[in-house]
Amino acid sequence: MLKKKSISAGKASLVLFLCQMISALDVPLDSKLLEELSQPPTITQQSPKDYIVDPRENIVIQCEAKGKPPPSFSWTRNGTHFDIDKDAQVTMKPNSGTLVINIMNGGKAEAYEGVYQCTARNERGAAISNNIVIRPSRSPLWTKEKLEPNQVREGDSLVLHCRPPVGLPPPIIFWMDNAFQRLPQSERVSQGLNGDLYFSNVQPEDTREDYICYARFNHTQTIQQKQPISVKVFSVDSLNDTIAANLSDTDIYGAKPVTERQPVLLTPTGSTSTKVELRGNVLLLECIAAGLPTPVIRWIKEGGELPANRTFFENFKKTLKIIDVSEADSGNYKCIARNILGSAHHVISVTVKAAPYWITAPRNLVLSPGEDGTLICRANGNPKPNISWLANGVPIAIAPEDPSRKVDGDTIIFSHVQERSSAVYQCNASNEYGYLLANAFVNVLAEPPRILTPANKLYQVIADSPALLDCAYFGSPKPEIEWFKGVKGSILRGNEYVFHDNGTLEIPVAQKDSTGTYTCVARNELGKIQNEVQLEVKDPTMIIKQPEYKVIQRYGQVSFECIIKHDSTLLPTVIWLKDNNELPDDERFLVGKDNLTIMNVTDKDDGTYTCIVNTTLDSVSASAVLTVVAAPPTPAIIYARPNPPFDLELTGQLERSVELSWIPGDENNSPITNFVIEYEDGLHEPGVWHYQTEVPGTQTTVQLKLSPYVNYSFRVIAVNEIGRSQPSESSEQYLTKSANPDENPSNVQGIGSEPDNLVITWESLKGFQSNGPGLQYKVSWRQKDVDDEWTSVIVANVSKYIVSGTPTFVPYEIKVQALNDLGYAPEPSEVIGHSGEDLPMVAPGNVQVHVINSTLAKVHWDPVPLKSVRGHLQGYKVYYWKVQSLSRRSRRHVEKKILTFRGNKTFGMLPGLEPYSSYKLNVRVVNGKGEGPASPDKVFKTPEGVPSSPSFLKITNPTLDSLTLEWGSPTHPNGVLTSYILKFQPINNTHELGPLVEIRIPANESSLILKNLNYSTRYKFYFNAQTSVGSGSQITEEAVTIMDEAMASRQVDIATQGWFIGLMCAVALLILILLIVCFIRRNKGGKYPVKEKEDAHADPEIQPMKEDDGTFGEYSDAEDHKPLKKGSRTPSDRTVKKEDSDDSLVDYGEGVNGQFNEDGSFIGQYSGKKEKEPAEGNESSEAPSPVNAMNSFV
């Protein structure tokens, strides 16, 4: 605010011009617009002012600029024109001003020392770079000198001088021994800022001959070594022994014992000294003292305090380090060295000077013809810098006259400019400690209006909310903007509209009748243009029936309603949350169209349920609490969730921690197991509570770690076996101080989405991770393995940045660093990314196929050069398909098969091929973008294989001695059939196989009549086809020749005659009577159970009745394997099989009901009931015979 009532006319005009400049043209960042507008040159990249180069490598002096039309470049060296065409060692990069001086091909770096300046020029002006001083680095050798051994008495001080050679830049000094191990340093022994090694007092262990000073020259990556220095420390005892050996007994001798001494400063010398440092640099002050015991150093500032947060102590407090010094740090600094015998001090008078620094740097000015404006250049420094102006690189005093321009010290005033007034102005602020140079152009444009907002853009808003309709524009002179509703409507005016300077029309409270077409008109003296946009106002979404508070007994059912009303053109989605989280994945939770039902409620279902309704334009929500209670019948002890804690108190507030204490609430008959502490960040996320930590239920205080720049509130929740209490009342708020970010974004990646870009993405920091206001990111990238400088851009709090115009698929080094208003996060780590992939350019060459067998082939190819892959090589794809079968010569639908071989493989196997077929294949390379072109089709053929089994085998027309066989050819012949092989053999009644007969049948046959077979005999047939390779799989079948008709008839007659059945029954009855008589005779003379008598008088000839079911066992000869009587039907292996016996005594019993009475008589009943095993398939065509049944008895 101006305090004086009047100001001079010059100052008044300056204020007016400033206001006009602020309201002058603002060019939108529209890429299409920027490409069309003329613009003076702007320097975008240049080498540092003091540029120390490696004399062994090429010198690259950078100078990049932009402008419309593109600028041309020229250079001066030591103030005169530098004609690069006359120097074969110097070239300029195409479309760039960057110089490359070829040192590695014969040039001498020393010949190119000097001061270089770049000029970028087009028809609208010329911009110049800083003066770039080129100096080659130097790492000279150590001068040879003869070093005498240092002999020191124990306790004395010692200084070992390094005196390194003068290099450019100065070397880094360190001391090591012959084994290249750093010499240990301490409060007693330490290295000074000048590289010397100081001993406050020497000890016997300091004796060694390899104190070596090393100088490392980082620019040339070389290390120079000084000759080793020898130190020998004489202890008092050894010195006394030496004196005693050289004196007589009468002499008085003896070295004085080690005496303690008060401190004496070794550096700096004297009582005072001076130090000049520049603003923004690091101030280093040093004091090293001798003394015994070793002195301790302390630093103070006379008349003030050492600056907090910028003061550090190094080298065991012998060095005071103050970073980022300013004029306020000037003053007297005293170092005090103290031990038990006294102290010494030194005062260093520090003066902070300042190279020039900007207060207001000149900014580019875009004006319309006839407008006014100003360029302001204000800088400060100590001493105060001198301000001078240049126009297009020429001092303004000798530059061409411009009647619209007037220089007033640090300000240039422009009045009524014309297009010829366009130029680039340079402001130079300099003093004895340095200079600043800034380019700022004045660009006078005459452009008709342009509207940058897309035509007919649709805006949708909810009724009673603001509507913002854009009309981004540009023109010179600045166009006037008018809005109309409808195509022929009147101009919009009045309090119901807000017209923004950027052309935006704001309707503060949009109503349904605000819907319609709005026209924006931009006009200046060079033309007029208009654009239409559409506005639609929608009804708001409302919850007309909200969920209500519910109390439900355990294991009951509860339902929450959420009935909504919404605009018919909007599609709502309804989401239910429990305690602000997703619903549990539990089938008990049923979400309906307008309700939520919970079945079989448990204690865990207790909580707050929220219904959220979202549309594309708005969102509404409503919540209700569900309380689950136990069923009332049990009047025993009531267990419940604890009451919330209370009386929260914060103590011990520090920048990064605070102590929280509380009083627990009633535990309600269930002990509190733990407390959960939550916090709210009122600065970034008010109303949102986050988990902080938890402590055991016996603890009521906790030390909490805090983050900077967070407005903390805390609350505590008690937990027992029943559940969680309601949260406590929140604590008082505690705002922590801001700080630099502690961490950088994670998951940094660089993946191109297009062949000519690099998309850099990262996970943004959370609000509380910002540690301060103004969170931004510094995104840096450079092409890997190319001598490029880092390109950096600072972006807002986003998570993506796209670099355009990159080469296709090249590696980039990428890093993303967080920063806020207080500074930068630690240096981030680099990751490797790649610009976008493109489809491969080349097909694999030299494709060869090696057929291994009839179903397997191996394909080889030469790898595609990685450069032509143009992406991440994912592998190769082999496309192959069957053209035709060589045996059938019939084509069919081609079904291509694909095999993928991962990585940089050059061969692969093709399994599952069909024999005797013709195939084609090609190979393609695959990257992340897709497949490359296919190699030329390669034809190969598979050899013959063995055929598949014949398609069928039928046996028909059985006679007494013949069978007719018919078959079908194999479905897959897999070659040329040479013949069929038929093998057959008879099967007897015991399923034994007879001799095998083999017949070879010509390939053109499809049936065969086998003759001379045995009648009533079963035969088994084996049938397969053959090619020249071998036999295929076989098919089997069985058949039976028919029996003699007379014999069959005779057997049937006997089996069905009544007399034969009666005879069989009489025989069975006779056998039964004989068995009963045998039992009676056995048991005669005693009355006891049969089983006990058998146990007492075991008969080896007769097996006892089975113990488990009361049936008789089988009878056998004593030797178990005696041959049966002649005429009985037995198998060829002379054994009796169970299935051969058609009947037995066991079969006639009634299971466990058969038993003996007390006198040994059998009282069980026999019956003719019998369960026979079913015949297996058609193994025998022989009819059951009574003769067979008789022969089974033994």
Side-chain angles (χ1 to χ4, degrees):
M1 181 180 292
L2 296 174
K3 295 183 179 180
K4 296 183 179 180
K5 293 184 179 180
S6 62
I7 56 176
S8 65
K11 291 184 178 178
S13 63
L14 178 59
V15 172
L16 176 62
F17 283 134
L18 283 172
C19 296
Q20 290 175 339
M21 182 190 72
I22 294 171
S23 62
L25 288 178
D26 185 12
V27 181
L29 295 176
D30 184 273
S31 57
K32 184 178 179 181
L33 175 63
L34 293 175
E35 288 177 2
E36 296 175 357
L37 297 179
S38 297
Q39 180 179 312
T42 301
I43 300 291
T44 59
Q45 194 171 6
Q46 57 183 315
S47 293
K49 295 178 182 178
D50 188 9
Y51 190 14
I52 300 175
V53 299
D54 191 331
R56 302 166 299 182
E57 298 180 354
N58 292 342
I59 301 173
V60 179
I61 312 177
Q62 289 187 327
C63 179
E64 304 290 343
K66 65 179 181 180
K68 182 71 174 182
S72 60
F73 297 88
S74 61
W75 285 85
T76 62
R77 178 182 173 191
N78 297 328
T80 60
H81 176 66
F82 184 32
D83 191 349
I84 62 175
D85 295 330
K86 293 183 179 180
D87 193 332
Q89 303 294 336
V90 183
T91 58
M92 185 183 295
K93 289 185 178 181
N95 303 318
S96 167
T98 297
L99 294 183
V100 179
I101 303 174
N102 195 335
I103 301 301
M104 301 175 68
N105 198 19
K108 297 287 186 181
E110 293 77 6
Y112 293 95
E113 287 192 63
V115 181
Y116 293 77
Q117 190 172 43
C118 170
T119 301
R121 186 185 309 275
N122 68 8
E123 62 189 28
R124 289 201 163 242
I128 62 176
S129 70
N130 292 322
N131 285 330
I132 303 170
V133 181
I134 301 296
R135 295 186 296 168
S137 63
R138 298 180 179 88
S139 52
L141 297 175
W142 230 294
T143 57
K144 290 188 176 181
E145 56 181 324
K146 185 177 182 181
L147 301 176
E148 297 293 337
N150 291 274
Q151 298 187 3
V152 195
R153 189 177 68 167
E154 180 183 355
D156 289 350
S157 62
L158 174 65
V159 180
L160 300 183
H161 298 288
C162 182
R163 300 190 183 96
V166 178
L168 183 67
I172 297 173
I173 306 301
F174 52 93
W175 289 80
M176 296 199 296
D177 58 16
N178 274 331
F180 297 101
Q181 299 297 316
R182 284 187 180 269
L183 295 174
Q185 298 191 21
S186 62
E187 291 184 345
R188 186 177 62 84
V189 183
S190 60
Q191 178 182 314
L193 294 176
N194 63 353
D196 293 346
L197 191 62
Y198 291 86
F199 295 77
S200 295
N201 53 79
V202 296
Q203 301 296 326
E205 60 265 24
D206 296 329
T207 298
R208 61 191 306 154
E209 297 180 351
D210 57 349
Y211 286 93
I212 305 174
C213 182
Y214 288 86
R216 182 173 68 212
F217 297 89
N218 281 346
H219 228 74
T220 57
Q221 296 296 311
T222 57
I223 296 178
Q224 306 289 357
Q225 173 185 340
K226 186 182 179 75
Q227 290 178 326
I229 301 175
S230 174
V231 174
K232 185 173 183 181
V233 179
F234 290 100
S235 65
V236 174
D237 293 339
S238 62
L239 191 58
N240 283 337
D241 292 342
T242 303
I243 296 173
N246 293 284
L247 295 178
S248 64
D249 293 340
T250 59
D251 292 327
I252 300 174
Y253 67 91
K256 296 181 180 179
V258 176
T259 57
E260 296 180 339
R261 303 187 315 280
Q262 67 180 26
V264 176
L265 288 173
L266 298 175
T267 183
T269 58
S271 60
T272 61
S273 61
T274 61
K275 172 82 171 181
V276 176
E277 192 55 80
L278 292 182
R279 178 181 184 270
N281 286 356
V282 176
L283 174 65
L284 294 174
L285 304 178
E286 180 182 56
C287 276
I288 301 178
L292 186 67
T294 303
V296 176
I297 305 297
R298 186 169 66 90
W299 291 89
I300 61 172
K301 182 180 181 182
E302 294 183 344
E305 297 290 335
L306 295 175
N309 301 325
R310 293 189 295 116
T311 301
F312 303 92
F313 298 100
E314 298 179 346
N315 198 17
F316 308 99
K317 293 192 176 182
K318 299 175 187 178
T319 302
L320 172 65
K321 176 180 177 181
I322 302 177
I323 62 173
D324 193 22
V325 295
S326 63
E327 289 87 342
D329 295 320
S330 297
N332 294 331
Y333 292 81
K334 178 187 286 188
C335 70
I336 304 169
R338 185 184 303 275
N339 66 10
I340 59 176
L341 298 181
S343 64
H345 68 269
H346 184 94
V347 176
I348 305 173
S349 179
V350 175
T351 303
V352 178
K353 299 290 186 178
Y357 56 92
W358 290 119
I359 297 176
T360 304
R363 301 178 63 183
N364 295 331
L365 195 59
V366 181
L367 299 173
S368 303
E371 285 190 330
D372 304 332
T374 60
L375 289 179
I376 300 175
C377 176
R378 290 179 181 161
N380 202 357
N382 187 7
K384 189 169 183 62
N386 177 49
I387 304 292
S388 61
W389 289 94
L390 298 88
N392 295 326
V394 178
I396 202 163
I398 60 174
E401 280 290 330
D402 183 352
S404 67
R405 179 182 69 214
K406 177 183 177 182
V407 179
D408 184 6
D410 59 7
T411 304
I412 302 181
I413 304 171
F414 297 93
S415 306
H416 201 69
V417 296
Q418 302 301 317
E419 283 197 69
R420 64 176 179 275
S421 301
S422 295
V424 183
Y425 290 88
Q426 292 82 33
C427 172
N428 186 308
S430 60
N431 65 11
E432 60 186 278
Y433 297 108
Y435 74 92
L436 293 172
L437 178 70
N439 290 276
F441 62 68
V442 175
N443 194 14
V444 182
L445 297 175
E447 295 287 336
R450 308 179 193 200
I451 293 181
L452 307 179
T453 299
N456 293 315
K457 185 174 181 180
L458 175 63
Y459 295 89
Q460 294 179 327
V461 298
I462 295 296
D464 297 326
S465 62
L468 297 172
L469 309 183
D470 293 333
C471 183
Y473 66 91
F474 178 75
S476 183
K478 184 178 180 180
E480 294 181 358
I481 302 298
E482 293 178 332
W483 282 92
F484 299 85
K485 184 175 182 184
V487 179
K488 298 181 180 180
S490 59
I491 187 170
L492 299 180
R493 292 187 177 89
N495 296 331
E496 56 184 313
Y497 302 104
V498 178
F499 303 93
H500 294 271
D501 290 338
N502 63 357
T504 297
L505 170 66
E506 179 182 353
I507 306 174
V509 183
Q511 301 296 332
K512 292 288 286 186
D513 58 2
S514 302
T515 299
T517 300
Y518 290 78
T519 303
C520 164
V521 178
R523 61 164 58 90
N524 66 8
E525 60 191 44
L526 299 179
K528 167 187 171 183
I529 192 171
Q530 69 180 35
N531 185 45
E532 293 180 358
V533 297
Q534 308 295 325
L535 174 63
E536 292 181 358
V537 181
K538 309 288 186 179
D539 290 326
T541 304
M542 296 183 294
I543 300 178
I544 57 178
K545 182 67 180 297
Q546 298 186 357
E548 298 176 348
Y549 172 74
K550 302 278 187 179
V551 178
I552 192 72
Q553 290 183 5
R554 198 177 298 137
Y555 311 122
Q557 175 179 324
V558 67
S559 182
F560 292 105
E561 287 187 299
C562 184
I563 301 176
I564 62 173
K565 179 183 178 183
H566 61 90
D567 191 284
S568 60
T569 62
L570 297 178
L571 182 63
T573 59
V574 179
I575 301 172
W576 285 90
L577 302 179
K578 178 182 182 295
D579 297 330
N580 293 325
N581 294 310
E582 293 183 1
L583 290 177
D585 186 11
D586 191 331
E587 60 185 10
R588 297 182 301 108
F589 289 79
L590 306 177
V591 178
K593 178 182 178 181
D594 52 13
N595 61 29
L596 167 66
T597 302
I598 307 173
M599 313 290 292
N600 196 20
V601 174
T602 67
D603 292 331
K604 292 182 179 179
D605 301 330
D606 201 279
T608 301
Y609 290 83
T610 304
C611 166
I612 301 177
V613 184
N614 293 317
T615 69
T616 55
L617 298 181
D618 62 349
S619 176
V620 292
S621 65
S623 299
V625 175
L626 172 63
T627 300
V628 180
V629 296
T634 328
I637 301 174
I638 297 176
Y639 298 96
R641 296 179 299 167
N643 293 346
F646 55 95
D647 280 357
L648 273 65
E649 184 178 5
L650 296 179
T651 56
Q653 289 92 338
L654 300 175
E655 290 188 1
R656 294 291 183 106
S657 67
V658 70
E659 184 175 277
L660 173 67
S661 60
W662 62 90
I663 298 175
D666 193 340
E667 61 185 20
N668 291 330
N669 300 314
S670 179
I672 295 175
T673 58
N674 57 295
F675 292 100
V676 178
I677 292 89
E678 296 180 341
Y679 73 91
E680 174 196 27
D681 182 0
L683 200 58
H684 302 100
E685 295 180 289
V688 180
W689 290 91
H690 299 275
Y691 174 85
Q692 172 89 6
T693 186
E694 58 183 86
V695 297
T698 57
Q699 187 173 328
T700 59
T701 61
V702 64
Q703 193 77 16
L704 301 175
K705 293 182 179 180
L706 307 180
S707 297
Y709 194 56
V710 177
N711 194 11
Y712 282 99
S713 294
F714 299 97
R715 69 183 188 185
V716 183
I717 300 171
V719 182
N720 63 11
E721 289 186 355
I722 308 303
R724 297 159 60 102
S725 73
Q726 292 294 322
S728 67
E729 295 292 330
S730 58
S731 69
E732 60 181 305
Q733 291 186 331
Y734 177 45
L735 177 62
T736 54
K737 293 183 179 179
S738 303
N740 293 15
D742 293 325
E743 52 190 304
N744 287 303
S746 59
N747 197 23
V748 178
Q749 294 182 334
I751 303 173
S753 61
E754 298 295 338
D756 61 348
N757 75 6
L758 172 66
V759 181
I760 302 173
T761 60
W762 59 91
E763 289 186 10
S764 301
L765 299 182
K766 305 296 183 185
F768 72 89
Q769 293 175 306
S770 65
N771 285 8
L775 177 63
Q776 294 177 298
Y777 300 102
K778 179 182 179 183
V779 185
S780 304
W781 68 91
R782 67 178 177 187
Q783 193 171 332
K784 192 175 184 292
D785 302 326
V786 177
D787 190 16
D788 278 353
E789 295 293 326
W790 287 96
T791 302
S792 300
V793 63
I794 294 179
V795 299
N797 187 10
V798 295
S799 60
K800 181 171 73 173
Y801 184 78
I802 301 178
V803 181
S804 302
T806 64
T808 300
F809 193 69
V810 296
Y812 278 84
E813 295 175 307
I814 302 166
K815 54 185 180 180
V816 180
Q817 186 177 21
L819 68 149
N820 58 22
D821 291 349
L822 277 77
Y824 288 83
E827 184 67 21
S829 57
E830 300 170 9
V831 299
I832 302 299
H834 284 82
S835 55
E837 300 183 61
D838 207 345
L839 292 176
M841 302 169 58
V842 179
N846 192 24
V847 178
Q848 301 292 331
V849 180
H850 171 58
V851 178
I852 296 175
N853 56 40
S854 60
T855 61
L856 181 65
K858 185 176 184 180
V859 58
H860 294 260
W861 61 87
D862 289 344
V864 173
L866 290 178
K867 187 174 182 180
S868 63
V869 173
R870 302 201 296 179
H872 292 286
L873 175 62
Q874 295 190 351
Y876 292 86
K877 283 189 177 180
V878 178
Y879 287 73
Y880 65 101
W881 62 96
K882 180 179 175 181
V883 179
Q884 65 179 20
S885 172
L886 298 178
S887 59
R888 298 183 179 179
R889 301 292 179 184
S890 61
R891 296 182 178 270
R892 61 176 183 174
H893 173 69
V894 176
E895 180 183 354
K896 289 189 177 182
K897 297 182 179 180
I898 305 172
L899 284 179
T900 301
F901 299 95
R902 299 291 179 187
N904 196 17
K905 294 192 69 173
T906 58
F907 68 90
M909 307 299 288
L910 305 182
L913 303 177
E914 294 186 17
Y916 206 49
S917 300
S918 176
Y919 280 86
K920 285 186 179 181
L921 66 76
N922 58 53
V923 186
R924 313 176 192 199
V925 67
V926 183
N927 66 10
K929 191 77 173 178
E931 300 176 5
S935 66
D937 290 349
K938 188 76 174 179
V939 179
F940 67 96
K941 298 178 181 178
T942 55
E944 288 188 76
V946 297
S948 63
S949 61
S951 57
F952 67 88
L953 175 62
K954 294 193 299 185
I955 303 174
T956 60
N957 302 328
T959 66
L960 289 174
D961 62 349
S962 69
L963 294 170
T964 301
L965 280 68
E966 297 177 356
W967 60 86
S969 59
T971 306
H972 301 287
N974 294 339
V976 178
L977 296 180
T978 58
S979 63
Y980 292 100
I981 302 297
L982 172 66
K983 298 177 183 179
F984 64 94
Q985 58 190 151
I987 306 174
N988 64 15
N989 291 336
T990 61
H991 304 289
E992 292 179 334
L993 300 175
L996 188 66
V997 180
E998 180 175 327
I999 300 175
R1000 185 176 297 273
I1001 306 170
N1004 57 355
E1005 298 289 342
S1006 62
S1007 65
L1008 177 68
I1009 299 176
L1010 281 178
K1011 299 181 179 180
N1012 301 322
L1013 301 177
N1014 298 328
Y1015 74 91
S1016 187
T1017 303
R1018 178 179 296 276
Y1019 286 89
K1020 187 166 186 177
F1021 297 90
Y1022 312 90
F1023 192 69
N1024 62 287
Q1026 274 192 336
T1027 63
S1028 60
V1029 176
S1031 299
S1033 56
Q1034 64 185 12
I1035 184 172
T1036 64
E1037 192 59 70
E1038 294 184 11
V1040 181
T1041 57
I1042 66 175
M1043 66 180 68
D1044 178 65
E1045 295 179 0
M1047 182 182 292
S1049 174
R1050 199 161 47 243
Q1051 287 191 358
V1052 171
D1053 291 340
I1054 295 172
T1056 58
Q1057 294 301 314
W1059 64 267
F1060 184 77
I1061 296 174
L1063 177 62
M1064 291 299 101
C1065 290
V1067 171
L1069 181 60
L1070 180 60
I1071 293 173
L1072 179 61
I1073 293 170
L1074 290 174
L1075 288 174
I1076 294 173
V1077 171
C1078 289
F1079 279 116
I1080 294 172
R1081 291 175 62 88
R1082 250 177 215 273
N1083 297 325
K1084 192 174 183 181
K1087 295 184 180 181
Y1088 50 86
V1090 175
K1091 182 161 185 356
E1092 293 180 11
K1093 186 173 178 84
E1094 288 179 347
D1095 290 341
H1097 304 281
D1099 187 348
E1101 296 288 336
I1102 303 173
Q1103 294 182 3
M1105 184 177 64
K1106 293 184 180 178
E1107 191 173 317
D1108 54 350
D1109 60 1
T1111 61
F1112 286 94
E1114 296 179 356
Y1115 289 92
S1116 69
D1117 293 334
E1119 297 178 0
D1120 285 339
H1121 297 289
K1122 290 183 180 180
L1124 299 176
K1125 294 181 180 179
K1126 186 176 180 180
S1128 63
R1129 299 185 61 176
T1130 62
S1132 59
D1133 61 357
R1134 314 299 293 172
T1135 61
V1136 180
K1137 296 187 179 178
K1138 182 178 180 181
E1139 56 269 348
D1140 291 338
S1141 176
D1142 294 331
D1143 224 336
S1144 71
L1145 286 175
V1146 177
D1147 294 331
Y1148 287 96
E1150 292 186 352
V1152 297
N1153 294 326
Q1155 57 184 339
F1156 295 95
N1157 59 15
E1158 290 183 354
D1159 60 1
S1161 60
F1162 189 73
I1163 62 173
Q1165 299 282 333
Y1166 286 100
S1167 73
K1169 182 180 179 181
K1170 176 182 177 186
E1171 294 181 359
K1172 291 194 175 181
E1173 296 182 2
E1176 296 181 2
N1178 55 354
E1179 291 181 354
S1180 176
S1181 61
E1182 188 176 2
S1185 170
V1187 176
N1188 291 340
M1190 289 298 298
N1191 288 338
S1192 67
F1193 287 98
V1194 292

